[in-house]
Amino acid sequence: MPDPSAATPQPLSPDEEALVRALGQVMHVLPRVIDADMVGDRQLPLTEYTALMNLSETPERRMRMNELAALCHLSLSGMTRTIIRLETQGLVRRERCEEDARGWNAVLTDAGFARLTESWPSHLAAVRRRFLQHFEGFDLTQLALAFQRAGTAEPTD
Amino acid sequence: MPDPSAATPQPLSPDEEALVRALGQVMHVLPRVIDADMVGDRQLPLTEYTALMNLSETPERRMRMNELAALCHLSLSGMTRTIIRLETQGLVRRERCEEDARGWNAVLTDAGFARLTESWPSHLAAVRRRFLQHFEGFDLTQLALAFQRAGTAEPTD
DNA sequence: CATATTTGCTTGACCAATCAAGCACCGGTT
DNA sequence: AACCGGTGCTTGATTGGTCAAGCAAATATG
């Protein structure tokens, strides 16, 4: 950590500057266009898609709210509200958790699974077209590792 | 565009899958931690910082709402509201545009400039620590280009 | 030159996320 | 067995953004 009282720390290099600006743009634009592609195509916003997807990858197609929220990068209350939206569409059902009566499981219904299968190609195409396409020729493994490091934030110290 | 009636398009490779998931995490985590770092440090949220920064880089330290909104990746109304927040803190002033009486200029005040100078090191440190650090050894130029491509979204067709 | 259309910005209504407070249940203590 | 701190989730209030409608000035058109 540079001393905050040091008036002028080393500024970013032009490369770094360009990368940071571009990332800013991507972070802003990508979710929106992917969401727009999917909504236009299949009427399923990205957040809801992500929830369904995570549920579907589980053996029993069910998950505790806690865990689902973490996987969807959502706060617990955010997750509650997403599940409620999905529930009213009949794509998810909620069941009390057997081994802990405080807990709930979000359960993917057949309708939900159908919806997911239906939306999947659209999501896949959007991700390829909007993102992966631009990284042809890169070492994806290395890139993924770097992003995993950046995405694993240590708490603010 | 793949035919949507084609039931099963080619799924993502493990590499691609990992990259996409990691990017999802980064997009979610990075703005929050950087924002948190800065707010904890200097009480200036990222959106407002970005606005001040863009204003400061202009010769007269002023800009039309339109242009500023684009640079900040914000809708015009979002920009209006951000500027209002900044105005009430005295960091920005609004002046009618001389050559077009419909238009407004957001003008960085001295207080705003001071605030920016004060926050800059904190922002810089956060960006390095949270992001750039993890990309040492990468070809930043190539990476920046790829992100610029991904960030330049063609309208949904 | 009067009127219609377009442009630049603000405002109103809304929405999805957050945090903080609340409620119900669990598990360990005495 | 009555309590009590901790846990799992929901709910209320707020926030920061969006889109759509509105208004005023500019510009194009008959």
Side-chain angles (χ1 to χ4, degrees), chain B:
Chain B
M1 274 277 84
D3 175 10
S5 67
T8 48
Q10 194 61 234
L12 296 181
S13 73
D15 273 356
E16 292 175 323
E17 178 86 24
L19 181 55
V20 168
R21 289 192 122 93
L23 180 78
Q25 180 132 338
V26 162
M27 292 198 305
H28 185 262
V29 161
L30 249 185
R32 281 171 177 76
V33 293
I34 291 183
D35 198 276
D37 287 358
M38 292 183 64
V39 169
D41 227 20
R42 308 274 172 176
Q43 311 292 353
L44 190 57
L46 190 51
T47 306
E48 302 181 8
Y49 176 86
T50 309
L52 295 187
M53 195 199 63
N54 280 299
L55 283 179
S56 81
E57 286 173 351
T58 222
E60 292 289 330
R61 288 189 191 165
R62 75 185 51 223
M63 209 183 289
R64 295 286 291 270
M65 297 299 292
N66 241 329
E67 193 182 352
L68 188 55
L71 289 176
C72 294
H73 314 303
L74 227 53
S75 73
L76 196 45
S77 58
M79 196 69 246
T80 296
R81 291 181 160 130
T82 303
I83 287 296
I84 289 174
R85 285 196 301 274
L86 287 169
E87 206 174 17
T88 65
Q89 302 174 65
L91 306 180
V92 154
R93 176 172 22 104
R94 270 191 293 182
E95 288 177 3
R96 286 220 92 102
C97 178
E98 306 204 335
E99 61 273 7
D100 185 340
R102 291 168 299 183
W104 291 87
N105 279 299
V107 189
L108 187 61
T109 64
D110 288 350
F113 188 75
R115 199 89 159 69
L116 183 60
T117 330
E118 193 184 66
S119 307
W120 178 66
S122 164
H123 178 253
L124 195 59
V127 165
R128 278 201 213 285
R129 182 159 88 90
R130 300 299 193 174
F131 178 58
L132 289 172
Q133 190 192 343
H134 304 293
F135 288 85
E136 276 167 16
F138 281 81
D139 181 341
L140 297 190
T141 312
Q142 281 311 108
L143 215 47
L145 284 173
F147 274 101
Q148 278 159 21
R149 290 192 297 267
T152 315
E154 325 86 70
T156 306
D157 40 279

Side-chain angles (χ1 to χ4, degrees), chain A residues 64-66 77 80-81 94 102-104:
Chain A
R64 295 287 291 268
M65 298 299 291
N66 241 329
S77 58
T80 296
R81 286 170 168 137
R94 272 192 292 183
R102 293 168 298 182
W104 291 89

Side-chain angles (χ1 to χ4, degrees), chain A residues 44-45 47-58 60-65 68-69 72 78-96 104-116:
Chain A
L44 191 57
T47 306
E48 301 181 8
Y49 177 87
T50 308
L52 296 187
M53 195 199 63
N54 280 299
L55 284 179
S56 80
E57 287 174 351
T58 223
E60 292 289 331
R61 289 190 190 165
R62 74 185 52 224
M63 209 183 289
R64 295 287 291 268
M65 298 299 291
L68 188 55
C72 293
M79 197 68 247
T80 296
R81 286 170 168 137
T82 303
I83 287 296
I84 289 175
R85 283 195 304 272
L86 287 169
E87 205 174 17
T88 65
Q89 301 174 68
L91 306 181
V92 153
R93 176 172 23 102
R94 272 192 292 183
E95 288 177 3
R96 287 220 90 104
W104 291 89
N105 280 298
V107 190
L108 187 61
T109 63
D110 288 350
F113 188 75
R115 199 87 161 70
L116 182 61

